Amino acid sequence: MSRTVYLNGEYLPEDEAKVSVFDRGFVMADAVYEVTSVLGGKILEFEGHMARLARSMAELEMVCDLTRDDWLAIHREMVARNDLDEGLIYLQVTRGNAGDRDFHYPPEGTPPTIVLFTQAKPGLADDPKAKKGIKVISIPDLRWSRRDIKTVQLLYPSMAKMAAEKAGKDDAWFVEDGFVTEGSSNNVYIVKDGRIITRQLSTDILHGITRASLLKYAESAQMVIEERPFTIAEAQAADEAFYTSASAFVMPVVEVDGAAIGTGKVGPVATRLREIYLDESRKSAI
Ligand code: PMP
């Protein structure tokens, strides 16, 4: 089935949506993005994703006139036109078509390029991987230092996922100065003696929307949270580990660099947090 995509104010069949070869997103990776989940035809964590989009754009001095209500209307239209029940909405804003390749930003007033498309993922909330848990490798974090801005510079995370695949594993965790920063496309956590440990927010990691909500729910459930960096050795000696992202919610991690974590099976804390997260985010979906 051909999808309907959104491009600069128009809803088009996917093969009719065209972007210039001079687009800043194409030649400079000068673009930001968001990925939002849809369950039961409703959008999860909409406000959080829009707030982060605005922040990413402000950090890069990118301008776009769409209001929160405009974005919501577009998201809802995308769900309706693509008959999306379970899946993802991908949104990208680039600095627009500069008319040529030039490192300098295009003149003020150059309109941004705005693209949205959907990805149907039936069974998204019932991913069997969440019952088995996933295995990760560690890899040096060679990304730039503004990982708090959600840009489309995703080559290194792609390389990390390919390295994991080549090693027969599911994903990679980045390590910098001896400590885990985050996963290739997710925020990571370990559980030790009932405490949930996750790196504190800074420019070193993306400020996950799922992370923010999960920590709020965990706190309401009287769980103890420690925001600090941890090492791979500490992860290997932990009782449990998991990651969060908008597309995977809460995903248990059962092995790091060949060492089983805890029993090597999905643990009770990750299981409970996944349930809580899915319940709460379905309730607040719009
Ligand atoms: N860190 C990185 C590097 C990511 O790419 C993602 C997914 N976008 C996350 C963390 C998780 O963020 P979110 O919960 O907002 O999807």
Side-chain angles (χ1 to χ4, degrees):
M1 191 191 83
S2 166
R3 283 172 288 191
T4 296
V5 308
Y6 175 94
L7 175 61
N8 298 332
E10 286 187 286
Y11 294 92
L12 300 166
E14 62 183 53
D15 53 358
E16 286 176 27
K18 303 270 195 293
V19 175
S20 166
V21 296
F22 300 117
D23 194 279
R24 294 279 304 182
F26 184 62
V27 288
M28 299 277 162
D30 185 357
V32 296
Y33 77 109
E34 285 296 329
V35 177
T36 309
S37 272
V38 171
L39 291 179
K42 288 187 164 179
I43 303 154
L44 270 60
E45 305 263 23
F46 178 76
E47 310 301 342
H49 288 287
M50 290 307 103
R52 185 173 61 191
L53 175 67
R55 179 180 181 276
S56 293
M57 289 180 44
E59 290 295 312
L60 298 175
E61 297 171 47
M62 279 173 70
V63 179
C64 165
D65 306 332
L66 295 180
T67 64
R68 176 252 177 219
D69 290 353
D70 295 332
W71 283 120
L72 181 57
I74 297 168
H75 277 72
R76 286 192 162 148
E77 195 63 28
M78 290 296 285
V79 170
R81 288 185 188 240
N82 291 286
D83 208 7
L84 189 65
D85 181 48
E86 286 202 350
L88 308 174
I89 302 178
Y90 175 88
L91 173 176
Q92 181 172 330
V93 182
T94 86
R95 207 181 298 274
N97 173 7
D100 201 352
R101 182 176 180 273
D102 186 348
F103 281 83
H104 298 91
Y105 293 172
E108 234 173 81
T110 302
T113 301
I114 300 169
V115 172
L116 280 86
F117 59 79
T118 56
Q119 292 181 313
K121 305 255 179 207
L124 182 65
D126 292 319
D127 189 342
K129 284 205 298 275
K131 299 228 158 53
K132 263 186 74 191
I134 64 135
K135 299 176 177 177
V136 302
I137 58 165
S138 66
I139 179 170
D141 197 339
L142 302 183
R143 299 172 300 163
W144 79 329
S145 315
R146 289 303 309 273
R147 302 156 193 158
D148 56 313
I149 308 173
K150 195 164 168 62
T151 77
V152 301
Q153 302 175 89
L154 294 174
L155 180 55
Y156 192 66
S158 290
M159 290 166 70
K161 286 202 194 279
M162 292 311 294
E165 188 176 295
K166 278 197 194 118
K169 308 297 176 189
D170 304 293
D171 202 1
W173 281 8
F174 293 136
V175 175
E176 185 172 60
D177 300 330
F179 292 96
V180 177
T181 50
E182 57 187 335
S184 67
S185 60
N186 43 66
N187 292 116
V188 301
Y189 310 73
I190 56 173
V191 181
K192 185 70 180 174
D193 300 329
R195 308 168 85 80
I196 300 165
I197 301 157
T198 193
R199 194 180 176 103
Q200 72 280 10
L201 296 182
S202 70
T203 51
D204 296 339
I205 63 169
L206 188 72
H207 301 188
I209 303 306
T210 321
R211 178 191 184 279
S213 294
L214 184 88
L215 293 185
K216 201 175 69 192
Y217 303 145
E219 230 177 308
S220 309
Q222 321 295 328
M223 296 180 173
V224 181
I225 297 151
E226 244 177 74
E227 290 187 71
R228 62 162 177 86
F230 58 85
T231 62
I232 290 293
E234 204 179 350
Q236 290 173 326
D239 302 323
E240 294 185 40
F242 61 92
Y243 75 68
T244 61
S245 74
S247 55
F249 314 116
V250 177
M251 181 59 68
V253 176
V254 295
E255 184 194 293
V256 179
D257 285 343
I261 299 173
T263 60
K265 298 225 160 58
V266 172
V269 177
T271 303
R272 171 137 185 260
L273 285 172
R274 183 176 172 90
E275 273 167 25
I276 296 176
Y277 181 79
L278 279 166
D279 278 359
E280 293 294 332
S281 51
R282 275 184 204 273
K283 272 192 232 158
S284 57
I286 58 173

PDB file of all heavy atoms in Angstrom, residues 33-35 49 52 143 147 150 154 157 174 182-187 205-211 244-247, ligand 1:
ATOM      1  N   TYR A  33      14.672  15.871  13.951  1.00  0.00           N
ATOM      2  CA  TYR A  33      13.564  14.944  13.743  1.00  0.00           C
ATOM      3  C   TYR A  33      12.954  14.509  15.060  1.00  0.00           C
ATOM      4  O   TYR A  33      13.510  14.771  16.132  1.00  0.00           O
ATOM      5  CB  TYR A  33      14.027  13.729  12.922  1.00  0.00           C
ATOM      6  CG  TYR A  33      14.834  12.700  13.674  1.00  0.00           C
ATOM      7  CD1 TYR A  33      14.294  11.453  13.976  1.00  0.00           C
ATOM      8  CD2 TYR A  33      16.136  12.967  14.092  1.00  0.00           C
ATOM      9  CE1 TYR A  33      15.028  10.494  14.676  1.00  0.00           C
ATOM     10  CE2 TYR A  33      16.863  12.016  14.780  1.00  0.00           C
ATOM     11  CZ  TYR A  33      16.320  10.790  15.075  1.00  0.00           C
ATOM     12  OH  TYR A  33      17.036   9.851  15.762  1.00  0.00           O
ATOM     13  N   GLU A  34      11.816  13.872  14.952  1.00  0.00           N
ATOM     14  CA  GLU A  34      11.142  13.252  16.099  1.00  0.00           C
ATOM     15  C   GLU A  34      10.478  11.978  15.594  1.00  0.00           C
ATOM     16  O   GLU A  34      10.080  11.899  14.427  1.00  0.00           O
ATOM     17  CB  GLU A  34      10.054  14.172  16.688  1.00  0.00           C
ATOM     18  CG  GLU A  34      10.564  15.340  17.507  1.00  0.00           C
ATOM     19  CD  GLU A  34      11.306  14.915  18.786  1.00  0.00           C
ATOM     20  OE1 GLU A  34      10.970  13.866  19.356  1.00  0.00           O
ATOM     21  OE2 GLU A  34      12.241  15.632  19.184  1.00  0.00           O
ATOM     22  N   VAL A  35      10.360  11.006  16.474  1.00  0.00           N
ATOM     23  CA  VAL A  35       9.615   9.789  16.165  1.00  0.00           C
ATOM     24  C   VAL A  35       8.616   9.590  17.300  1.00  0.00           C
ATOM     25  O   VAL A  35       9.005   9.576  18.474  1.00  0.00           O
ATOM     26  CB  VAL A  35      10.538   8.556  16.077  1.00  0.00           C
ATOM     27  CG1 VAL A  35       9.722   7.288  15.814  1.00  0.00           C
ATOM     28  CG2 VAL A  35      11.597   8.743  14.997  1.00  0.00           C
ATOM     29  N   HIS A  49       7.279  15.318  22.704  1.00  0.00           N
ATOM     30  CA  HIS A  49       8.005  15.323  21.429  1.00  0.00           C
ATOM     31  C   HIS A  49       8.001  16.710  20.786  1.00  0.00           C
ATOM     32  O   HIS A  49       9.006  17.137  20.212  1.00  0.00           O
ATOM     33  CB  HIS A  49       7.436  14.267  20.477  1.00  0.00           C
ATOM     34  CG  HIS A  49       7.790  12.878  20.894  1.00  0.00           C
ATOM     35  ND1 HIS A  49       9.055  12.357  20.749  1.00  0.00           N
ATOM     36  CD2 HIS A  49       7.066  11.909  21.498  1.00  0.00           C
ATOM     37  CE1 HIS A  49       9.091  11.125  21.236  1.00  0.00           C
ATOM     38  NE2 HIS A  49       7.895  10.825  21.701  1.00  0.00           N
ATOM     39  N   ARG A  52      10.491  18.923  22.640  1.00  0.00           N
ATOM     40  CA  ARG A  52      11.886  18.643  22.277  1.00  0.00           C
ATOM     41  C   ARG A  52      12.196  19.133  20.869  1.00  0.00           C
ATOM     42  O   ARG A  52      13.285  19.644  20.603  1.00  0.00           O
ATOM     43  CB  ARG A  52      12.197  17.167  22.422  1.00  0.00           C
ATOM     44  CG  ARG A  52      13.678  16.873  22.170  1.00  0.00           C
ATOM     45  CD  ARG A  52      14.049  15.443  22.479  1.00  0.00           C
ATOM     46  NE  ARG A  52      13.324  14.517  21.646  1.00  0.00           N
ATOM     47  CZ  ARG A  52      13.299  13.198  21.847  1.00  0.00           C
ATOM     48  NH1 ARG A  52      13.951  12.665  22.855  1.00  0.00           N
ATOM     49  NH2 ARG A  52      12.616  12.423  21.043  1.00  0.00           N
ATOM     50  N   ARG A 143      30.348   9.977  18.548  1.00  0.00           N
ATOM     51  CA  ARG A 143      29.442  11.000  18.004  1.00  0.00           C
ATOM     52  C   ARG A 143      29.900  12.400  18.394  1.00  0.00           C
ATOM     53  O   ARG A 143      30.774  12.569  19.248  1.00  0.00           O
ATOM     54  CB  ARG A 143      28.028  10.765  18.538  1.00  0.00           C
ATOM     55  CG  ARG A 143      27.445   9.415  18.132  1.00  0.00           C
ATOM     56  CD  ARG A 143      26.133   9.162  18.834  1.00  0.00           C
ATOM     57  NE  ARG A 143      26.297   9.165  20.273  1.00  0.00           N
ATOM     58  CZ  ARG A 143      25.302   9.283  21.154  1.00  0.00           C
ATOM     59  NH1 ARG A 143      24.062   9.421  20.734  1.00  0.00           N
ATOM     60  NH2 ARG A 143      25.540   9.273  22.454  1.00  0.00           N
ATOM     61  N   ARG A 147      24.664  15.792  21.744  1.00  0.00           N
ATOM     62  CA  ARG A 147      23.740  14.671  21.525  1.00  0.00           C
ATOM     63  C   ARG A 147      22.371  14.969  22.086  1.00  0.00           C
ATOM     64  O   ARG A 147      21.435  14.191  21.913  1.00  0.00           O
ATOM     65  CB  ARG A 147      24.313  13.406  22.177  1.00  0.00           C
ATOM     66  CG  ARG A 147      25.681  13.087  21.613  1.00  0.00           C
ATOM     67  CD  ARG A 147      26.472  12.250  22.591  1.00  0.00           C
ATOM     68  NE  ARG A 147      27.863  12.202  22.190  1.00  0.00           N
ATOM     69  CZ  ARG A 147      28.850  11.931  23.009  1.00  0.00           C
ATOM     70  NH1 ARG A 147      28.619  11.687  24.297  1.00  0.00           N
ATOM     71  NH2 ARG A 147      30.085  11.917  22.572  1.00  0.00           N
ATOM     72  N   LYS A 150      18.356  16.625  18.676  1.00  0.00           N
ATOM     73  CA  LYS A 150      17.978  15.406  17.931  1.00  0.00           C
ATOM     74  C   LYS A 150      18.131  15.664  16.428  1.00  0.00           C
ATOM     75  O   LYS A 150      17.160  15.953  15.730  1.00  0.00           O
ATOM     76  CB  LYS A 150      16.549  15.014  18.299  1.00  0.00           C
ATOM     77  CG  LYS A 150      16.175  13.593  17.889  1.00  0.00           C
ATOM     78  CD  LYS A 150      14.921  13.142  18.600  1.00  0.00           C
ATOM     79  CE  LYS A 150      14.341  11.874  18.047  1.00  0.00           C
ATOM     80  NZ  LYS A 150      15.239  10.716  18.165  1.00  0.00           N
ATOM     81  N   LEU A 154      22.890  10.447  11.761  1.00  0.00           N
ATOM     82  CA  LEU A 154      22.722   9.123  12.354  1.00  0.00           C
ATOM     83  C   LEU A 154      23.675   8.079  11.769  1.00  0.00           C
ATOM     84  O   LEU A 154      23.443   6.882  11.919  1.00  0.00           O
ATOM     85  CB  LEU A 154      21.260   8.673  12.192  1.00  0.00           C
ATOM     86  CG  LEU A 154      20.274   9.538  12.985  1.00  0.00           C
ATOM     87  CD1 LEU A 154      18.837   9.146  12.676  1.00  0.00           C
ATOM     88  CD2 LEU A 154      20.519   9.456  14.476  1.00  0.00           C
ATOM     89  N   PRO A 157      25.415   6.036  14.772  1.00  0.00           N
ATOM     90  CA  PRO A 157      24.469   5.052  15.322  1.00  0.00           C
ATOM     91  C   PRO A 157      24.158   3.912  14.341  1.00  0.00           C
ATOM     92  O   PRO A 157      24.012   2.754  14.752  1.00  0.00           O
ATOM     93  CB  PRO A 157      23.223   5.880  15.624  1.00  0.00           C
ATOM     94  CG  PRO A 157      23.761   7.251  15.879  1.00  0.00           C
ATOM     95  CD  PRO A 157      24.924   7.408  14.955  1.00  0.00           C
ATOM     96  N   PHE A 174      26.898   2.910  23.818  1.00  0.00           N
ATOM     97  CA  PHE A 174      28.062   3.770  23.635  1.00  0.00           C
ATOM     98  C   PHE A 174      28.780   3.989  24.966  1.00  0.00           C
ATOM     99  O   PHE A 174      28.131   4.185  26.004  1.00  0.00           O
ATOM    100  CB  PHE A 174      27.625   5.129  23.093  1.00  0.00           C
ATOM    101  CG  PHE A 174      27.063   5.066  21.692  1.00  0.00           C
ATOM    102  CD1 PHE A 174      25.909   5.771  21.367  1.00  0.00           C
ATOM    103  CD2 PHE A 174      27.687   4.333  20.690  1.00  0.00           C
ATOM    104  CE1 PHE A 174      25.390   5.741  20.079  1.00  0.00           C
ATOM    105  CE2 PHE A 174      27.178   4.308  19.402  1.00  0.00           C
ATOM    106  CZ  PHE A 174      26.028   5.018  19.100  1.00  0.00           C
ATOM    107  N   GLU A 182      24.716   6.239  26.310  1.00  0.00           N
ATOM    108  CA  GLU A 182      23.349   5.788  26.010  1.00  0.00           C
ATOM    109  C   GLU A 182      23.432   4.687  24.958  1.00  0.00           C
ATOM    110  O   GLU A 182      24.519   4.299  24.531  1.00  0.00           O
ATOM    111  CB  GLU A 182      22.478   6.955  25.538  1.00  0.00           C
ATOM    112  CG  GLU A 182      23.024   7.690  24.332  1.00  0.00           C
ATOM    113  CD  GLU A 182      22.238   8.944  23.967  1.00  0.00           C
ATOM    114  OE1 GLU A 182      21.039   9.055  24.285  1.00  0.00           O
ATOM    115  OE2 GLU A 182      22.848   9.823  23.323  1.00  0.00           O
ATOM    116  N   GLY A 183      22.277   4.166  24.551  1.00  0.00           N
ATOM    117  CA  GLY A 183      22.252   3.165  23.502  1.00  0.00           C
ATOM    118  C   GLY A 183      22.293   3.839  22.143  1.00  0.00           C
ATOM    119  O   GLY A 183      22.207   5.065  22.046  1.00  0.00           O
ATOM    120  N   SER A 184      22.422   3.043  21.080  1.00  0.00           N
ATOM    121  CA  SER A 184      22.554   3.630  19.739  1.00  0.00           C
ATOM    122  C   SER A 184      21.321   4.441  19.367  1.00  0.00           C
ATOM    123  O   SER A 184      21.410   5.381  18.587  1.00  0.00           O
ATOM    124  CB  SER A 184      22.806   2.531  18.706  1.00  0.00           C
ATOM    125  OG  SER A 184      21.665   1.711  18.596  1.00  0.00           O
ATOM    126  N   SER A 185      20.165   4.109  19.948  1.00  0.00           N
ATOM    127  CA  SER A 185      18.956   4.913  19.694  1.00  0.00           C
ATOM    128  C   SER A 185      18.005   4.826  20.887  1.00  0.00           C
ATOM    129  O   SER A 185      16.798   4.745  20.721  1.00  0.00           O
ATOM    130  CB  SER A 185      18.247   4.427  18.426  1.00  0.00           C
ATOM    131  OG  SER A 185      17.860   3.061  18.571  1.00  0.00           O
ATOM    132  N   ASN A 186      18.596   4.872  22.082  1.00  0.00           N
ATOM    133  CA  ASN A 186      17.776   4.728  23.288  1.00  0.00           C
ATOM    134  C   ASN A 186      18.555   5.142  24.529  1.00  0.00           C
ATOM    135  O   ASN A 186      19.774   5.246  24.490  1.00  0.00           O
ATOM    136  CB  ASN A 186      17.288   3.273  23.418  1.00  0.00           C
ATOM    137  CG  ASN A 186      18.381   2.278  23.115  1.00  0.00           C
ATOM    138  OD1 ASN A 186      19.376   2.175  23.828  1.00  0.00           O
ATOM    139  ND2 ASN A 186      18.227   1.543  22.011  1.00  0.00           N
ATOM    140  N   ASN A 187      17.830   5.396  25.615  1.00  0.00           N
ATOM    141  CA  ASN A 187      18.453   5.683  26.915  1.00  0.00           C
ATOM    142  C   ASN A 187      18.530   4.380  27.709  1.00  0.00           C
ATOM    143  O   ASN A 187      17.623   3.555  27.612  1.00  0.00           O
ATOM    144  CB  ASN A 187      17.611   6.704  27.693  1.00  0.00           C
ATOM    145  CG  ASN A 187      17.629   8.081  27.044  1.00  0.00           C
ATOM    146  OD1 ASN A 187      16.591   8.578  26.599  1.00  0.00           O
ATOM    147  ND2 ASN A 187      18.784   8.696  26.966  1.00  0.00           N
ATOM    148  N   ILE A 205      23.888  13.163  26.160  1.00  0.00           N
ATOM    149  CA  ILE A 205      22.858  12.191  25.750  1.00  0.00           C
ATOM    150  C   ILE A 205      21.603  12.925  25.271  1.00  0.00           C
ATOM    151  O   ILE A 205      21.387  14.100  25.596  1.00  0.00           O
ATOM    152  CB  ILE A 205      22.461  11.223  26.898  1.00  0.00           C
ATOM    153  CG1 ILE A 205      21.835  11.975  28.084  1.00  0.00           C
ATOM    154  CG2 ILE A 205      23.648  10.406  27.348  1.00  0.00           C
ATOM    155  CD1 ILE A 205      21.185  11.041  29.125  1.00  0.00           C
ATOM    156  N   LEU A 206      20.796  12.192  24.533  1.00  0.00           N
ATOM    157  CA  LEU A 206      19.499  12.728  24.148  1.00  0.00           C
ATOM    158  C   LEU A 206      18.574  12.682  25.364  1.00  0.00           C
ATOM    159  O   LEU A 206      18.565  11.702  26.110  1.00  0.00           O
ATOM    160  CB  LEU A 206      18.890  11.901  23.004  1.00  0.00           C
ATOM    161  CG  LEU A 206      17.619  12.539  22.443  1.00  0.00           C
ATOM    162  CD1 LEU A 206      17.936  13.783  21.626  1.00  0.00           C
ATOM    163  CD2 LEU A 206      16.834  11.547  21.595  1.00  0.00           C
ATOM    164  N   HIS A 207      17.812  13.763  25.531  1.00  0.00           N
ATOM    165  CA  HIS A 207      16.876  13.823  26.655  1.00  0.00           C
ATOM    166  C   HIS A 207      15.605  13.079  26.234  1.00  0.00           C
ATOM    167  O   HIS A 207      14.677  13.661  25.672  1.00  0.00           O
ATOM    168  CB  HIS A 207      16.583  15.272  27.026  1.00  0.00           C
ATOM    169  CG  HIS A 207      17.811  16.041  27.411  1.00  0.00           C
ATOM    170  ND1 HIS A 207      17.783  17.299  27.936  1.00  0.00           N
ATOM    171  CD2 HIS A 207      19.135  15.700  27.349  1.00  0.00           C
ATOM    172  CE1 HIS A 207      19.020  17.711  28.196  1.00  0.00           C
ATOM    173  NE2 HIS A 207      19.850  16.758  27.812  1.00  0.00           N
ATOM    174  N   GLY A 208      15.615  11.786  26.475  1.00  0.00           N
ATOM    175  CA  GLY A 208      14.529  10.936  25.982  1.00  0.00           C
ATOM    176  C   GLY A 208      13.179  11.341  26.556  1.00  0.00           C
ATOM    177  O   GLY A 208      13.053  11.600  27.758  1.00  0.00           O
ATOM    178  N   ILE A 209      12.194  11.366  25.699  1.00  0.00           N
ATOM    179  CA  ILE A 209      10.826  11.675  26.132  1.00  0.00           C
ATOM    180  C   ILE A 209      10.288  10.493  26.942  1.00  0.00           C
ATOM    181  O   ILE A 209       9.628  10.672  27.963  1.00  0.00           O
ATOM    182  CB  ILE A 209       9.930  11.972  24.908  1.00  0.00           C
ATOM    183  CG1 ILE A 209      10.523  13.133  24.085  1.00  0.00           C
ATOM    184  CG2 ILE A 209       8.503  12.259  25.323  1.00  0.00           C
ATOM    185  CD1 ILE A 209      10.799  14.396  24.858  1.00  0.00           C
ATOM    186  N   THR A 210      10.626   9.284  26.511  1.00  0.00           N
ATOM    187  CA  THR A 210      10.214   8.085  27.238  1.00  0.00           C
ATOM    188  C   THR A 210      10.892   8.054  28.602  1.00  0.00           C
ATOM    189  O   THR A 210      10.269   7.707  29.609  1.00  0.00           O
ATOM    190  CB  THR A 210      10.595   6.822  26.434  1.00  0.00           C
ATOM    191  OG1 THR A 210      10.349   7.083  25.052  1.00  0.00           O
ATOM    192  CG2 THR A 210       9.776   5.621  26.866  1.00  0.00           C
ATOM    193  N   ARG A 211      12.169   8.444  28.629  1.00  0.00           N
ATOM    194  CA  ARG A 211      12.935   8.485  29.882  1.00  0.00           C
ATOM    195  C   ARG A 211      12.252   9.394  30.897  1.00  0.00           C
ATOM    196  O   ARG A 211      12.055   9.015  32.059  1.00  0.00           O
ATOM    197  CB  ARG A 211      14.361   8.992  29.590  1.00  0.00           C
ATOM    198  CG  ARG A 211      15.260   9.140  30.796  1.00  0.00           C
ATOM    199  CD  ARG A 211      16.536   9.899  30.404  1.00  0.00           C
ATOM    200  NE  ARG A 211      17.483   9.993  31.504  1.00  0.00           N
ATOM    201  CZ  ARG A 211      17.396  10.882  32.486  1.00  0.00           C
ATOM    202  NH1 ARG A 211      16.399  11.751  32.519  1.00  0.00           N
ATOM    203  NH2 ARG A 211      18.317  10.904  33.449  1.00  0.00           N
ATOM    204  N   THR A 244      15.020   2.568  27.111  1.00  0.00           N
ATOM    205  CA  THR A 244      13.737   3.185  26.732  1.00  0.00           C
ATOM    206  C   THR A 244      13.894   3.961  25.433  1.00  0.00           C
ATOM    207  O   THR A 244      14.937   4.556  25.167  1.00  0.00           O
ATOM    208  CB  THR A 244      13.209   4.169  27.801  1.00  0.00           C
ATOM    209  OG1 THR A 244      14.162   5.239  27.979  1.00  0.00           O
ATOM    210  CG2 THR A 244      12.956   3.499  29.132  1.00  0.00           C
ATOM    211  N   SER A 245      12.828   3.934  24.633  1.00  0.00           N
ATOM    212  CA  SER A 245      12.736   4.804  23.461  1.00  0.00           C
ATOM    213  C   SER A 245      11.272   4.860  23.062  1.00  0.00           C
ATOM    214  O   SER A 245      10.478   3.998  23.453  1.00  0.00           O
ATOM    215  CB  SER A 245      13.575   4.278  22.297  1.00  0.00           C
ATOM    216  OG  SER A 245      12.949   3.154  21.718  1.00  0.00           O
ATOM    217  N   ALA A 246      10.944   5.892  22.266  1.00  0.00           N
ATOM    218  CA  ALA A 246       9.552   6.088  21.859  1.00  0.00           C
ATOM    219  C   ALA A 246       9.030   4.886  21.079  1.00  0.00           C
ATOM    220  O   ALA A 246       7.844   4.566  21.152  1.00  0.00           O
ATOM    221  CB  ALA A 246       9.442   7.350  21.008  1.00  0.00           C
ATOM    222  N   SER A 247       9.898   4.212  20.330  1.00  0.00           N
ATOM    223  CA  SER A 247       9.409   3.122  19.475  1.00  0.00           C
ATOM    224  C   SER A 247       9.447   1.762  20.163  1.00  0.00           C
ATOM    225  O   SER A 247       8.779   0.837  19.730  1.00  0.00           O
ATOM    226  CB  SER A 247      10.220   3.072  18.179  1.00  0.00           C
ATOM    227  OG  SER A 247      11.582   2.967  18.474  1.00  0.00           O
TER     228      SER A 247
HETATM  229  N1  PMP B   1      18.979   8.358  22.769  1.00  0.00           N
HETATM  230  C1  PMP B   1      19.140   8.327  21.438  1.00  0.00           C
HETATM  231  C2  PMP B   1      20.513   8.465  20.883  1.00  0.00           C
HETATM  232  C3  PMP B   1      18.030   8.147  20.586  1.00  0.00           C
HETATM  233  O1  PMP B   1      18.200   8.126  19.254  1.00  0.00           O
HETATM  234  C4  PMP B   1      16.749   7.965  21.154  1.00  0.00           C
HETATM  235  C5  PMP B   1      15.543   7.716  20.285  1.00  0.00           C
HETATM  236  N2  PMP B   1      15.191   8.825  19.579  1.00  0.00           N
HETATM  237  C6  PMP B   1      16.619   8.010  22.549  1.00  0.00           C
HETATM  238  C7  PMP B   1      17.758   8.207  23.325  1.00  0.00           C
HETATM  239  C8  PMP B   1      15.288   7.841  23.226  1.00  0.00           C
HETATM  240  O2  PMP B   1      14.506   9.003  23.110  1.00  0.00           O
HETATM  241  P1  PMP B   1      12.913   8.929  23.078  1.00  0.00           P
HETATM  242  O3  PMP B   1      12.517   8.232  24.342  1.00  0.00           O
HETATM  243  O4  PMP B   1      12.485  10.343  23.078  1.00  0.00           O
HETATM  244  O5  PMP B   1      12.537   8.168  21.858  1.00  0.00           O
END
